[in-house]
Amino acid sequence: MIIDTREVQDINSFSRFESLQEVYGTVWILVPILILVVGITIGVLVIVWLEREISAGIQQRIGPEYAGPLGILQALADGTKLLFKENLLPSRGDIGLFSLGPSMAVISILLSYSVIPFSYRLVLADLNVGVFLWIAIASIAPIGLLMSGYGSNNKYSFLGGLRATAQSISYEIPLTLCVLSISLRAIRSNSLSTVDIVEAQSKYGFWGWNFWRQPIGFIVLLISSLAECERLPFDLPEAEEELVAGYQTEYSGIKFGLFYVTSYFNLLVSSLFVTILYLGGWNLSIPCIDFPQLVEINEAGAVFRTTIALFITLAKTFFFLFISITTRWTLPRLRMDQLLNLGWKFLLPISLGNLLLTTSSQLLSLE
């Protein structure tokens, strides 16, 4: 039997080409995810710096000023310090749960960014149920907090984990009802995609925002998102001024840093969803002006439109971040009973009434 060596070489070269294509395809899939993670990390560093500068201005003191120009590298210096600090483990705790808790909290929040549209084409996954995917993923984070408190083998940490879980569940229900009210208004397009919800608000510019149609839901969602992020006045699970920091008490080093970063990840994603659901996302807020027609339809024009849309989205988002930061340094902390009463006795009935009102208006408009 005679084997043609040229055919064998052709087959080998073809198989190598196929394998290179598979590797290239895999790398190309990971590139958008990497860009998103890097962008989110840079955004969190900017938020930390802004919070320190704004809090210094409110309290009439000097903020960070030594690490980099205007102290902009102070957050990066703090993160580097936590990265190299000793990682302590409780001697009689559940090491598996203790180590898995921070990771679960971070991953659940990072997955929420996959359905956030920063522009019409700038979204990692445009899913038909993108809004409810965010709610489903966000409900996983309290499990990580409870695992952290239980795995620490510390009664104060365990009580802090229970507090965090109770607080998260209490405010997730009104938040979900507000999102459901928005979804009922978008259900005519047979899609609950975040991109479609933004596009549905673009018809009348500023007056087409869901903020005008759902003002009650906007206020309830804003309060619930602050409670979900455990920001003042809702920071009872890990009160910052106390020595016992709730479920974070036994953590040190990079694991403590993960909890610290998770709170800012959650704050950023909550502000982004407020922008998308109620403030028209990336749309220009001027009626009777079609923003895509302001520039030529070519590759350079598409890049320019995407950049401007990204800037508009981030400008609206950072406006709500400013509100959250000033709220932290303005209002006193609630007691635990006041926190739960606010969630169950006030926000839940109000959000439920808003949902019933939205449902009634939708039924009347269909008739």
Side-chain angles (χ1 to χ4, degrees):
M1 181 178 181
I2 300 174
I3 299 176
D4 192 352
T5 57
R6 288 177 299 178
E7 293 183 0
V8 175
Q9 291 175 356
D10 291 341
I11 293 172
N12 290 335
S13 61
F14 181 75
S15 62
R16 292 195 201 96
F17 178 73
E18 288 290 331
S19 62
L20 286 176
Q21 276 192 330
E22 291 178 0
V23 172
Y24 177 76
T26 304
V27 172
W28 188 247
I29 291 174
L30 295 177
V31 166
I33 300 175
L34 181 62
I35 293 174
L36 181 62
V37 171
V38 172
I40 293 169
T41 305
I42 295 174
V44 167
L45 293 177
V46 173
I47 293 171
V48 174
W49 177 76
L50 281 176
E51 179 159 34
R52 290 177 172 178
E53 288 291 335
I54 293 171
S55 62
I58 292 175
Q59 298 175 350
Q60 296 182 353
R61 58 179 175 83
I62 299 174
E65 58 177 345
Y66 295 109
L70 300 177
I72 199 168
L73 299 179
Q74 185 62 51
L76 186 62
D78 294 339
T80 306
K81 179 187 71 173
L82 288 174
L83 184 62
F84 290 100
K85 288 189 73 174
E86 183 181 2
N87 187 20
L88 300 177
L89 298 174
S91 59
R92 296 184 181 181
D94 192 324
I95 304 303
L97 295 178
F98 185 82
S99 303
L100 188 61
S103 303
M104 181 173 290
V106 172
I107 292 172
S108 62
I109 300 302
L110 283 177
L111 287 176
S112 302
Y113 285 91
S114 61
V115 295
I116 293 178
F118 297 91
S119 175
Y120 181 74
R121 299 182 181 275
L122 200 60
V123 57
L124 194 61
D126 184 14
L127 302 178
N128 193 30
V129 288
V131 178
F132 291 117
L133 181 66
W134 168 52
I135 299 295
I137 292 174
S139 62
I140 301 175
I143 301 176
L145 306 183
L146 187 60
M147 290 168 59
S148 302
Y150 181 78
S152 299
N153 193 27
N154 183 328
K155 60 182 180 180
Y156 298 109
S157 299
F158 184 56
L159 290 175
L162 290 176
R163 272 187 172 188
T165 306
Q167 175 174 327
S168 180
I169 293 173
S170 300
Y171 286 88
E172 267 183 9
I173 299 175
L175 187 145
T176 306
L177 292 176
C178 294
V179 173
L180 188 58
S181 300
I182 295 294
S183 303
L184 285 175
R185 300 197 65 89
I187 203 168
R188 290 183 178 180
S189 60
N190 296 324
S191 175
L192 297 179
S193 167
T194 50
V195 175
D196 293 335
I197 290 176
V198 174
E199 286 297 312
Q201 303 175 62
S202 62
K203 187 175 182 181
Y204 302 106
F206 176 77
W207 301 109
W209 290 355
N210 286 327
F211 171 77
W212 305 109
R213 301 187 184 100
Q214 297 280 331
I216 298 175
F218 172 77
I219 296 173
V220 172
L221 186 120
L222 188 62
I223 297 174
S224 300
S225 61
L226 285 178
E228 284 286 308
C229 299
E230 298 175 6
R231 303 275 301 178
L232 271 168
F234 305 104
D235 68 330
L236 286 177
E238 77 305 338
E240 297 168 352
E241 295 86 355
E242 307 295 335
L243 294 177
V244 179
Y247 55 87
Q248 304 176 10
T249 303
E250 300 295 332
Y251 283 90
S252 63
I254 186 61
K255 292 179 181 176
F256 177 80
L258 287 177
F259 279 124
Y260 184 78
V261 170
T262 299
S263 64
Y264 284 98
F265 281 162
N266 203 0
L267 180 63
L268 179 58
V269 75
S270 299
S271 300
L272 283 167
F273 269 104
V274 169
T275 301
I276 291 165
L277 296 176
Y278 289 95
L279 298 184
W282 64 83
N283 287 311
L284 194 65
S285 303
I286 303 176
C288 305
I289 294 181
D290 191 4
F291 175 66
Q293 294 181 359
L294 296 179
V295 293
E296 297 181 1
I297 302 176
N298 52 31
E299 187 174 352
V303 173
F304 178 75
R305 290 199 306 270
T306 303
T307 304
I308 296 299
L310 177 63
F311 174 78
I312 293 172
T313 302
L314 293 180
K316 296 176 182 178
T317 301
F318 274 86
F319 171 72
F320 281 101
L321 287 170
F322 176 77
I323 294 177
S324 303
I325 292 171
T326 52
T327 302
R328 173 182 179 180
W329 302 102
T330 305
L331 299 178
R333 181 184 297 119
L334 299 177
R335 296 196 315 265
M336 192 63 193
D337 60 328
Q338 294 173 338
L339 184 144
L340 294 178
N341 286 336
L342 177 64
W344 289 102
K345 295 183 179 180
F346 290 94
L347 295 186
L348 180 58
I350 291 173
S351 59
L352 187 58
N354 180 61
L355 177 61
L356 294 175
L357 185 63
T358 305
T359 307
S360 303
S361 63
Q362 289 295 104
L363 290 175
L364 290 176
S365 62
L366 290 175
E367 293 179 356

